[in-house]
Amino acid sequence: MKSVANPDVITAIQHLHKAIHAGGVDPLVLELVHLRASQINGCGPCVFAGVQSAKKHGETDERLHNVVAWRETPFFTEEERAALALTEAATRIQDGAPGVTDEIWNGAATHFDENQMSAIILNIAITNFFNRINHTIREQAGKTW
């Protein structure tokens, strides 16, 4: 399937990315959030792109290989764990999961201020957005945009 990008949509997405990165969140945390949501959704193109982008930001292979099992590893900070828990809770709503509980929200709010929380939530949302578009148009991993 081939889609034609609307310039207005591209501009809107660029503004969203600008807002996310202006939120004051460590870029590596944003990369982990993107990667974990994309793993949950089985989005090959976004997992591929997320790993490449995280590596450009200095992320290690050891940590990247363990994002999928972050709870069972010693490789992530409490801040990163809070962001990953929020990501999973916000992404897994289609699985019948309870969503973002007070415990998960409060855990993240302990580590991130209001602007940072907004940036993380927007990053989760836009990742889920792209995961669904890629699934719909049957985008394959490994392409560069």
Side-chain angles (χ1 to χ4, degrees):
M1 295 182 134
K2 180 88 172 159
S3 66
V4 178
N6 178 325
D8 292 335
V9 173
I10 292 170
T11 299
I13 290 167
Q14 289 170 336
H15 286 293
L16 290 171
H17 278 290
K18 184 177 177 182
I20 290 167
H21 291 285
V25 179
D26 179 341
L28 282 177
V29 171
L30 294 175
E31 296 292 350
L32 294 174
V33 163
H34 171 79
L35 179 57
R36 186 64 191 120
S38 297
Q39 288 172 334
I40 291 167
N41 290 323
C43 182
C46 287
V47 168
F48 180 85
V51 167
Q52 297 302 322
S53 183
K55 283 183 171 189
K56 287 179 185 174
H57 282 95
E59 191 55 87
T60 66
D61 284 338
E62 180 177 59
R63 284 171 35 101
L64 288 171
H65 289 297
N66 285 282
V67 169
V68 71
W70 63 270
R71 284 183 178 87
E72 290 80 30
T73 69
F75 307 125
F76 302 97
T77 67
E78 289 304 312
E79 179 181 76
E80 291 165 339
R81 290 174 184 282
L84 290 166
L86 181 63
T87 301
E88 287 188 358
T91 300
R92 290 193 183 277
I93 56 176
Q94 81 282 358
D95 297 342
V100 179
T101 63
D102 289 344
E103 180 182 3
I104 291 169
W105 181 269
N106 293 336
T110 298
H111 298 283
F112 302 102
D113 65 26
E114 192 172 309
N115 287 336
Q116 292 170 320
M117 287 287 283
S118 294
I120 292 168
I121 293 165
L122 186 55
N123 193 43
I124 294 166
I126 199 166
T127 298
N128 279 283
F129 170 79
F130 278 114
N131 293 165
R132 281 152 179 79
I133 289 173
N134 285 332
H135 181 76
T136 301
I137 65 171
R138 300 180 188 147
E139 188 68 46
Q140 295 294 304
K143 294 184 178 181
T144 56
W145 295 279

